[in-house]
Amino acid sequence: MAEYDYDLFVIGGGSGGVRAARVAASETGARVALAEEDRYGGTCVIRGCVPKKLMVFASEFSNTPAMAQGYGWDIAEGAFNWPAFRGKLNEELDRLEGIYRNLLKNSGVESFDARARIKDAHTVELSTGETKTAKTILIATGGHPVRPDLPNADLGIVSDDIFHLKELPKRLLIIGGGYIACEFACIFNGLGVEVTQYYRGAQILRGFDEEARGLIAESMREQGINLHLGTNILEMDLAEAHAARGDMPGPVNEQIPSSGSYTAGQGPAWVKSTTGDEGTYDLVLFATGRDPNSRDLGLEELGIEVGRRHEIVVDGYSKTSVDSIYAIGDVTNRVNLTPVAIREGMAFVETVFKNNPTEVDHDLIPSAIFTQPEMGTVGLSEEDAREQEEVEVYCTSFRPMQSAFAGKPDRVLMKLVVSKASRKVLGCHIVAPGAGEMIQLAGVAIKMGATKEDFDRTVAVHPTMSEEIVTMKTPMRTA
Ligand code: NDP
């Protein structure tokens, strides 16, 4: 009889956990089980990348009539029907969840719709009351959005709640300046919502290339997003409660009648900012970061090391401080992106089940921010590269043909940061419609170690926006 019930027990049915479970089972014949307390597919499929991208697509159609008119079409503006879209969205998510469940089943993974807690180095307890043992345990429990420590913060929603809204707000306040805040500011603006965004720092999208984030901020403002930098939320309350205390709501947006769709159905919120602005909003969205889902897993009792944000500390092979327990994905707070969690899951299977120790390569990961326009980025920002060595910066910003013809002011940016010594392209930053698609391909070249001269040797694809990436001859600046 086997020493353990399973060779592998995976906790968490998101992108990373499902991939690791199914590859271990189908490619190595391991006996694998997986527990998921919520919906299969995790953040990416159920309440993140996938529904967000569908909302991006939905919101982009608002530009179509004006653009088509600019090209001679006699076309009228239409109205967006949120309940109709949300219904279709939920059907799609149900379909995808079904696929995830089937992938596990068809790979021979036994799944438990239950919460799991680690009892000892080889045992998990399920919320169903069952106890299971496994030679190796993999924690892939992901993360969750967090609200700031502010009285009444529970009156606001977080990104998980967006896809359940019964109706769209008329006036929305978004707090934060990261991926989620900026993406949803553009989405809701495109869907016709009046969007105000508070970001406490000097410029949105901290950590990304300064020129690129500057252009995104400018474009967001041009589209009508009311972006306040150096501003945070100071106080919030229900507008009614605030008015009852004798303080009238401030002047911001008051000409627009409330949709009455505020978060918990309690009515609009009154908000005061650190710069003294006051306003009433139908909805407040906190996009103020995400924390790892590491609590109540039994980690403390086992002595598994966690970091300052409660991330599980792992080595290059995703192993925790307990030999039989590994962790991958957002719960480790390394690079919190779906494809990275999947890579970490695959490397884990190579290491533990294929006898091929494989470290996860976190270098030169291309990624995209689905603002409008998008940002695609790989490698170092100009600022970070300059800290390391002497660089040449090749950069061009222009009005692309398609929107310029229609009389729109949109601008795009193509930028390469090049090592003066090795000639290698250290960073590529693109702000343009479709930048996410473009950066995937630039990412291949840069991962291969392409030099500026390799880019120069490549013939341009004409007429495109991205041809500029191979035709920039003179550095804009050296530093
Ligand atoms: P981020 O960490 O990117 O951004 C959080 C934002 O909230 C920052 O602007 C931060 O400000 C601000 N903030 C944090 N605490 C407070 C506070 N107490 N008061 C006011 N503002 C605050 O988190 P997100 O939630 O946007 O995204 C989480 C992660 O999800 C990302 O890091 C990314 O890995 C992933 N993601 C990826 C996407 C993609 O690939 N397209 C899309 C969406 C998410 P400050 O900068 O000053 O710290």
Side-chain angles (χ1 to χ4, degrees), residues 52 148 175-181 183 199-201 206 232 287-290 336-337 368-370:
K52 179 275 306 286
I175 312 294
Y179 284 81
I180 297 180
E183 290 182 343
Y199 174 52
R200 63 185 180 181
R206 182 164 61 84
N232 205 350
T288 43
R290 295 176 59 86
N336 298 336
L337 298 170
I369 306 172
F370 294 99

Side-chain angles (χ1 to χ4, degrees), residues 49 52 145-149 159 175-183 198-201 203-206 208 231-233 286-290 309 330 335-337 367-370:
C49 321
K52 179 275 306 286
V146 288
R147 291 174 169 81
D149 186 13
S159 58
I175 312 294
Y179 284 81
I180 297 180
C182 296
E183 290 182 343
Y198 287 172
Y199 174 52
R200 63 185 180 181
Q203 185 55 281
I204 55 168
L205 299 171
R206 182 164 61 84
F208 291 94
T231 306
N232 205 350
I233 187 167
F286 288 108
T288 43
R290 295 176 59 86
R309 288 197 80 147
D330 287 9
V335 181
N336 298 336
L337 298 170
S367 71
I369 306 172
F370 294 99

